[in-house]
Amino acid sequence: MKNLYFDYCSSTPLFPSVQEVILDTYQRVYANSSSMHLPGKEANTLVNECRERIAKILGVKQREVIFTSGATESNNLALFGVANVAKNKLSHPIHIITSSIEHSSIFESAVHLSSEGVEVTFLPVNKSGIVEVTDVQRAIKKNTVLVSIIHVNNETGAIQPVEEIGSMLKSEAPGVYFHVDGVQAFGKLDVNLENMDLYTLSGHKIGGPKGIGILMVKDHVDIAPIQYGGKQESGLRPGTVNVPGVTAITEAMIVTISKQASSIEKLKKFQNELRHHLSDNSDIIINSPAGALCAPHILNLSYPKSTSALMLNFLGKNGIHLSSQSACSSKGNKISRVIMEMCQDQQISSSSIRISLSADHSEEDIQYLLQCILGMVKSMSENKKFPTIPV
């Protein structure tokens, strides 16, 4: 039986060159980059060289690249960091706009801010799972301080119109900051940060290690730390800098960009093949939007006659490993909040699974995945629980 991983949105294996960089840094550069002795200064120089390389990739200033422990911290820093400054500066309650289909690190942060007296608008999405620019426009108030919209939805792959939203905000509400969670977009789409004030990236989604992330913060953004105990990362992120993590995410970004064009071409081919064959089965519902509205590495589907848990179990027994929701949201949640917001159908929302692809997959892998999914639907329709798919 095959053993195939189709959960690249949750985490990715290290690129070989990233593994080499991590090991080399751990062995050679073990000093604290905040120390004033020569080894410490050498570590600090290495960090700044990495920061400069990342800034060039993103098209921003070196000092605008802030290293964090990962996307969750970056998203929390963006929301709480901006909100806390605004609450202290303004005498009236502040307002934040986000969407109903954000990653849990944004959604739950916004819910918490709401409990603290911050006015939060959770925008709806259309049937394709996409936020309408006009809805953002209408939601803006005099006390709005921040808009936070995900770039590529981590469950459906729906590409949000972040460039259009950013352009609209700059022309109509220039005092409102715009944060974008770009975790699932980098390397899968061209990223233009011109009209974005804050942008989140994660190492382990792009061939880097866990425990390292980035929050791009433009110079003009008024933001405060949410942790205390040091002045590292321009005073925004206290604690010893993860030098091996910094070198690793830098290498991961360089490799990802170098492979982007060829990876996208291959991912689109795989996604289109899956979509074509799965759509032929009338019992399967494709939740991901079609064509240019969807990132090439994600395909979300539902089989309403079953449940997500049963399908994942079935596929797992046949060597196919994927997920139903974001790994940060899946435990204890039987219904996908994202799919529910799109279709308002409990059966569809409780029977969704997410396929997330890699350019390292082969055509043979895709054919086996199709065989297993279609075999699962056939078996379940015949009330057979867990037969093994014949290879």
Side-chain angles (χ1 to χ4, degrees):
M1 185 177 70
K2 292 182 180 290
N3 188 40
L4 299 176
Y5 182 79
F6 287 96
D7 199 19
Y8 279 75
C9 281
S10 293
S11 198
T12 60
L14 292 176
F15 288 130
S17 60
V18 171
Q19 188 171 346
E20 292 172 8
V21 164
I22 293 173
L23 183 59
D24 178 66
T25 309
Y26 269 118
Q27 290 175 335
R28 291 190 309 105
V29 191
Y30 46 81
N32 190 321
S33 62
S34 296
S35 296
M36 297 307 295
H37 48 59
L38 181 60
K41 290 178 180 178
E42 290 174 345
N44 187 58
T45 297
L46 180 57
V47 169
N48 286 332
E49 288 173 354
C50 289
R51 203 187 306 274
E52 184 177 7
R53 295 174 83 177
I54 291 170
K56 286 181 180 178
I57 291 172
L58 297 178
V60 299
K61 299 173 185 175
Q62 181 178 337
R63 61 179 176 271
E64 293 175 336
V65 176
I66 305 299
F67 294 114
T68 69
S69 65
T72 292
E73 183 188 341
S74 293
N75 286 340
N76 273 255
L77 177 57
L79 263 68
F80 287 101
V82 168
N84 289 343
V85 170
K87 284 193 292 184
N88 290 332
K89 285 176 62 175
L90 303 175
S91 57
H92 52 75
I94 63 168
H95 175 233
I96 287 174
I97 299 169
T98 188
S99 83
S100 56
I101 51 92
E102 297 298 308
H103 185 271
S104 57
S105 59
I106 291 291
F107 188 84
E108 291 178 21
S109 292
V111 169
H112 186 84
L113 283 168
S114 179
S115 73
E116 292 183 338
V118 174
E119 184 183 359
V120 179
T121 297
F122 292 98
L123 297 174
V125 292
N126 61 26
K127 290 182 179 180
S128 295
I130 294 172
V131 175
E132 302 283 357
V133 180
T134 51
D135 285 345
V136 180
Q137 196 172 23
R138 282 192 291 264
I140 297 169
K141 301 181 180 183
K142 290 182 179 179
N143 62 334
T144 304
V145 297
L146 178 70
V147 174
S148 181
I149 301 293
I150 200 167
H151 197 161
V152 169
N153 183 265
N154 51 294
E155 288 191 36
T156 67
I159 301 171
Q160 306 303 319
V162 293
E163 291 187 23
E164 293 88 341
I165 293 170
S167 178
M168 180 273 293
L169 290 171
K170 289 296 175 287
S171 62
E172 298 184 22
V176 177
Y177 297 140
F178 185 35
H179 168 251
V180 176
D181 177 349
V183 167
Q184 295 296 342
F186 186 81
K188 311 303 188 302
L189 310 172
D190 291 329
V191 175
N192 181 353
L193 303 184
E194 181 180 357
N195 291 320
M196 302 176 200
D197 302 301
L198 306 102
Y199 197 83
T200 293
L201 294 170
S202 172
H204 74 105
K205 310 292 188 178
I206 56 168
K210 299 170 182 66
I212 187 71
I214 292 169
L215 179 64
M216 185 284 295
V217 184
K218 294 279 180 71
D219 277 345
H220 62 270
V221 176
D222 205 354
I223 185 171
I226 58 174
Q227 302 176 59
Y228 297 89
K231 298 296 181 183
Q232 291 90 345
E233 296 305 298
S234 300
L236 284 179
R237 208 268 174 173
T240 303
V241 175
N242 178 4
V243 181
V246 167
T247 60
I249 195 172
T250 306
E251 177 67 13
M253 291 176 72
I254 291 169
V255 174
T256 296
I257 290 298
S258 72
K259 294 183 172 185
Q260 179 171 312
S262 59
S263 293
I264 289 174
E265 184 179 355
K266 193 171 183 182
L267 290 168
K268 282 182 177 178
K269 177 180 178 294
F270 288 157
Q271 188 194 66
N272 288 338
E273 188 173 355
L274 288 168
R275 189 186 294 271
H276 171 73
H277 288 287
L278 294 172
S279 296
D280 283 345
N281 190 304
S282 59
D283 289 327
I284 294 174
I285 296 169
I286 303 294
N287 297 312
S288 297
L293 297 178
C294 189
H297 64 305
I298 301 174
L299 189 67
N300 189 296
L301 61 94
S302 291
Y303 175 55
K305 296 179 181 179
S306 185
T307 66
S308 302
L310 282 173
M311 289 190 286
L312 294 179
N313 196 354
F314 182 103
L315 293 170
K317 287 178 181 291
N318 287 280
I320 295 291
H321 309 292
L322 38 72
S323 64
S324 59
Q325 304 175 40
S326 160
C328 296
S329 312
S330 59
K331 290 185 178 180
N333 292 334
K334 295 182 179 180
I335 295 178
S336 164
R337 167 172 51 84
V338 171
I339 306 300
M340 191 67 179
E341 288 293 332
M342 291 170 56
C343 66
Q344 300 300 310
D345 186 302
Q346 189 164 330
Q347 279 189 302
I348 294 174
S349 304
S350 62
S351 62
S352 66
I353 57 175
R354 178 189 67 185
I355 303 164
S356 49
L357 302 162
S358 165
D360 289 333
H361 285 129
S362 67
E363 178 62 31
E364 185 182 1
D365 296 338
I366 301 303
Q367 290 302 315
Y368 184 72
L369 173 64
L370 277 168
Q371 183 183 5
C372 285
I373 292 175
L374 294 173
M376 171 189 71
V377 171
K378 183 176 185 296
S379 295
M380 288 184 168
S381 68
E382 295 171 353
N383 294 318
K384 297 176 182 177
K385 283 195 173 182
F386 299 117
T388 300
I389 302 294
V391 179

